[in-house]
Amino acid sequence: MKDILILGIETSCDETAASIVKNGRHILSNVINSQINIHREFGGVVPEVASRKHIENIAVVVDNAFQEAGLGYNDVDAIAVTNQPGLIGALLVGVSFAKGFAWALGRPLLAVNHLHGHIYANVLEHGDISFPAVCLVVSGGHTSLLYMKDINHYKVIGETRDDAAGEAFDKVARFLGLGYPGGPAIQKAAAQGTAGKMKLPRIFLDKNDFEFSFSGLKTAAMNAWKRIEKSRELEVTDLAAEFQQALVEVLVEKSLKAAKINRVESLLMAGGVAANEHLRFLMKEKADQENIKVYYPSLALCTDNAAMIAGVAYQQYITKSYAPLELNAHPGLLSL
Amino acid sequence: MLILAVDSSTPVAGAAVVDEDRVIIESFTNYKKTHSETLMPTINRILRECDCTIGDIDALAVTAGPGSFTGLRIGMAAVKGISMAAKKPVVAVSTLDTLAGNIAGSNALVAALLDARKNEVYCAFYDASGIRPERLREPMACAPETFLSEARALADYEHKDKIILLGDGYYRYSDYFNTELTNRLIPIPGHLMLPRAAAAGILAAHKARQGEFADVFQLRPWYIRLSEAEYRLGKGEV
């Protein structure tokens, strides 16, 4: 069978990314232009600034993806693009570019849900995942548990009622003056501190469901800091360590419970927060005790990238689920 | 030389194919529907209707600003994608120049102004006595009052008695401008008041003849304004 080459384009937040993936599995190129240093001075992603960087960078990033793969534009069979969820102005740059590029090449356009991409990043690196599985999608915008019949079919069995885990990381990091982005900042500070010197709540809600809530933990951490900052009884690193520990414990416990109740042997993690080393370590340690196999993408594929977009779109190409030229971008999640 | 021109810089979505100074087909839509949904289907339709494929087109034109930040990026991103895939050069045209291109052979001072929200307009002034508008001042974003005093001063300086105002910035503040300018103002019919992709295409054909092509790897919209966040950080000009 002929090899299928798909160009993926991703501009949903603050990375302009393009990648070419063969047959949904083999990454031929993976170009990412990160804006982290630009947004750091604002203390978070500024949508208009992100959109401006995307329109500046998109042509260069896509061209680099072809050069890195040693291919010409005409060699690709389809163009895949993230059209939801994300920052609307940012998404529109990728979607508009992809539509023009696909149309002028005479190739089909494939619309990809960013979160499907994150989940699929696992398959790009691990060919041996046994399904059904449970997947923890955990990022700046989402904290959800999915039951996955296979890589293309799943349903949401639980999600956060308020803040996403990554959002809590960002807000607490900013409050503690640790910088941006919050996940890596807290992880770094936590490595210098000791969890348990003070106690933050583990918010499990109803023990028997798979819902999350992080706003209470966030507020508790902020209140603790107001106290500690004056009394100096503890270091900010100790608070960071305890905050990370409290958040990770809840994620691990709920995910394992979901895996056990649904009798699955595989537990997947996806999204930017899945890059957190403590989460990776604790999830693996606890899952080993239950004989459940844990999968997560390498750090490069945990954060936003276009390889996951080009990869997950392969199935849509095979089933001819093409997007029309009317394709629009959607900030919210239409469906997971 | 066949040019495919695209404009999504204001609430109007436009696309046209022009051959030098001849308009072959034009689509103009001033109706609430997102440019993201309508622009590519419109381009696809007009090319089909004039029996063209993208391969027949010699160059692309895009209105690069000023205008709605998101609207500018929708048009420019699509044009960048088409340009790369079809290997066609791009000409970037000012939205304000495009508006001024609706008037020719007039001795009035022509001002193009777009609603920039926050009680400001994006504006530029032109001498439209020839076939193509000649820009007299660099475009700027300013309050309608500032715009008006500039317009008066410039008209006096250029010995122009009459003033023509074009663009949705006029509609936004029409009562104020009408009251202030009274019979100095020449009213213009509606079909000439908003940016036309055909006008962008004809201006682009001229630029193309001069070899003024944009580099798609470098091209970015002419926003005139910084983002809000950059203003708050105390950054300078764009």
Side-chain angles (χ1 to χ4, degrees), chain A residues 41-42 46 48-49 51-52 55-56 59-60 63 73 92-93 96-97 99-101 103-105 325-326 328, chain B residues 34 36-37 40-41 44 47 69-70 73-74 77-78 80-82 84-85 216-217 220 223 225 227 229 233 235:
Chain A
E41 48 175 330
F42 301 100
V46 180
E48 174 60 22
V49 173
S51 303
R52 289 185 178 201
I55 188 71
E56 268 178 59
V60 175
D63 189 61
Y73 302 158
L92 281 170
V93 174
S96 302
F97 180 93
K99 287 202 284 187
F101 194 80
W103 173 80
L105 273 187
L325 277 182
E326 287 82 1
N328 207 350
Chain B
T34 62
S36 164
E37 287 168 297
M40 282 308 301
N44 191 44
L47 282 189
F69 297 164
T70 298
R73 286 189 289 261
I74 288 171
K80 284 189 178 195
I82 297 169
M84 281 171 71
V216 289
F217 294 115
R220 57 182 83 170
Y223 300 104
R225 266 196 197 144
S227 68
L233 268 196
K235 299 248 171 175

Side-chain angles (χ1 to χ4, degrees), chain A residues 48 52, chain B residues 66-67 69 114-122 140-143 221-228 230-231 236-238:
Chain A
E48 174 60 22
R52 289 185 178 201
Chain B
F69 297 164
L114 296 171
D115 182 10
R117 300 194 203 161
K118 297 191 280 188
N119 293 314
E120 286 192 341
V121 291
Y122 299 119
M140 59 181 176
C142 63
W222 305 325
Y223 300 104
I224 295 191
R225 266 196 197 144
L226 291 170
S227 68
E228 277 298 313
E230 288 167 304
Y231 271 123
E237 293 304 305
V238 179

Side-chain angles (χ1 to χ4, degrees), chain A residues 163-234:
Chain A
D163 289 358
E167 192 181 353
F169 267 117
D170 279 340
K171 287 176 177 170
V172 169
R174 191 182 312 164
F175 196 80
L176 268 50
L178 294 174
Y180 168 86
I186 286 190
Q187 174 173 296
K188 195 173 156 205
Q192 316 289 318
T194 309
K197 281 193 185 171
M198 43 101 47
K199 201 74 182 161
L200 289 174
R202 274 68 173 158
I203 297 169
F204 287 100
L205 300 172
D206 187 334
K207 285 264 181 195
N208 295 315
D209 69 20
F210 307 118
E211 303 283 297
F212 297 97
S213 169
F214 296 109
S215 76
L217 171 62
K218 174 191 69 186
T219 308
M222 289 174 174
N223 287 337
W225 178 237
K226 281 183 211 158
R227 205 175 59 238
I228 296 166
E229 203 181 7
K230 284 196 196 102
S231 68
R232 289 277 160 204
E233 66 202 86
L234 285 175

Side-chain angles (χ1 to χ4, degrees), chain A:
Chain A
M1 206 179 111
K2 181 188 171 295
D3 285 334
I4 300 302
L5 301 178
I6 296 180
L7 167 69
I9 295 174
E10 154 68 40
T11 63
S12 67
C13 191
D14 60 343
E15 329 272 358
T16 316
S19 163
I20 296 168
V21 173
K22 185 169 83 177
N23 300 331
R25 283 299 170 100
H26 307 288
I27 301 173
L28 304 184
S29 65
N30 188 17
V31 177
I32 302 173
N33 182 305
S34 175
Q35 306 172 7
I36 282 185
N37 289 329
I38 292 154
H39 295 288
R40 188 172 278 131
E41 48 175 330
F42 301 100
V45 177
V46 180
E48 174 60 22
V49 173
S51 303
R52 289 185 178 201
K53 295 314 286 184
H54 286 312
I55 188 71
E56 268 178 59
N57 295 332
I58 184 85
V60 175
V61 167
V62 168
D63 189 61
N64 285 347
F66 280 96
Q67 285 186 25
E68 202 177 292
L71 295 168
Y73 302 158
N74 265 303
D75 294 330
V76 293
D77 297 283
I79 286 77
V81 64
T82 305
N83 80 317
Q84 60 165 312
L87 303 171
I88 185 69
L91 286 165
L92 281 170
V93 174
V95 167
S96 302
F97 180 93
K99 287 202 284 187
F101 194 80
W103 173 80
L105 273 187
R107 299 288 190 277
L109 178 71
L110 307 164
V112 173
N113 177 321
H114 180 76
L115 293 175
H116 290 185
H118 273 304
I119 297 163
Y120 193 86
N122 283 291
V123 180
L124 273 175
E125 291 180 312
H126 311 289
D128 59 336
I129 301 173
S130 76
F131 287 94
V134 159
C135 181
L136 171 67
V137 181
V138 61
S139 68
H142 299 274
T143 307
S144 308
L145 277 165
L146 314 182
Y147 175 78
M148 308 183 65
K149 211 173 108 214
D150 56 55
I151 190 64
N152 297 305
H153 299 90
Y154 31 85
K155 63 171 193 227
V156 179
I157 55 175
E159 57 197 338
T160 182
R161 292 180 183 174
D162 39 59
D163 289 358
E167 192 181 353
F169 267 117
D170 279 340
K171 287 176 177 170
V172 169
R174 191 182 312 164
F175 196 80
L176 268 50
L178 294 174
Y180 168 86
I186 286 190
Q187 174 173 296
K188 195 173 156 205
Q192 316 289 318
T194 309
K197 281 193 185 171
M198 43 101 47
K199 201 74 182 161
L200 289 174
R202 274 68 173 158
I203 297 169
F204 287 100
L205 300 172
D206 187 334
K207 285 264 181 195
N208 295 315
D209 69 20
F210 307 118
E211 303 283 297
F212 297 97
S213 169
F214 296 109
S215 76
L217 171 62
K218 174 191 69 186
T219 308
M222 289 174 174
N223 287 337
W225 178 237
K226 281 183 211 158
R227 205 175 59 238
I228 296 166
E229 203 181 7
K230 284 196 196 102
S231 68
R232 289 277 160 204
E233 66 202 86
L234 285 175
E235 297 294 329
V236 69
T237 51
D238 296 325
L239 178 57
E242 174 64 11
F243 171 77
Q244 177 177 267
Q245 180 70 24
L247 192 147
V248 164
E249 275 182 22
V250 174
L251 289 174
V252 169
E253 189 158 322
K254 290 246 171 186
S255 302
L256 284 172
K257 180 167 242 169
K260 280 190 281 181
I261 286 179
N262 286 289
R263 302 208 168 96
V264 302
E265 290 167 7
S266 309
L267 178 56
L268 280 55
M269 292 200 284
V273 179
N276 181 279
E277 284 165 20
H278 192 57
L279 174 61
R280 287 167 175 246
F281 170 80
L282 202 65
M283 191 73 90
K284 196 137 202 151
E285 188 184 66
K286 299 281 183 194
D288 280 349
Q289 296 164 9
E290 310 281 350
N291 282 322
I292 292 168
K293 263 200 101 168
V294 173
Y295 298 90
Y296 42 76
S298 63
L299 289 179
L301 291 186
C302 257
T303 45
D304 289 353
N305 65 86
M308 66 188 196
I309 304 304
V312 75
Y314 177 71
Q315 191 60 30
Q316 285 163 252
Y317 178 81
I318 296 298
T319 58
K320 294 190 161 54
S321 309
Y322 304 154
L325 277 182
E326 287 82 1
L327 180 71
N328 207 350
H330 305 281
L333 202 53
L334 294 184
S335 65
L336 192 68

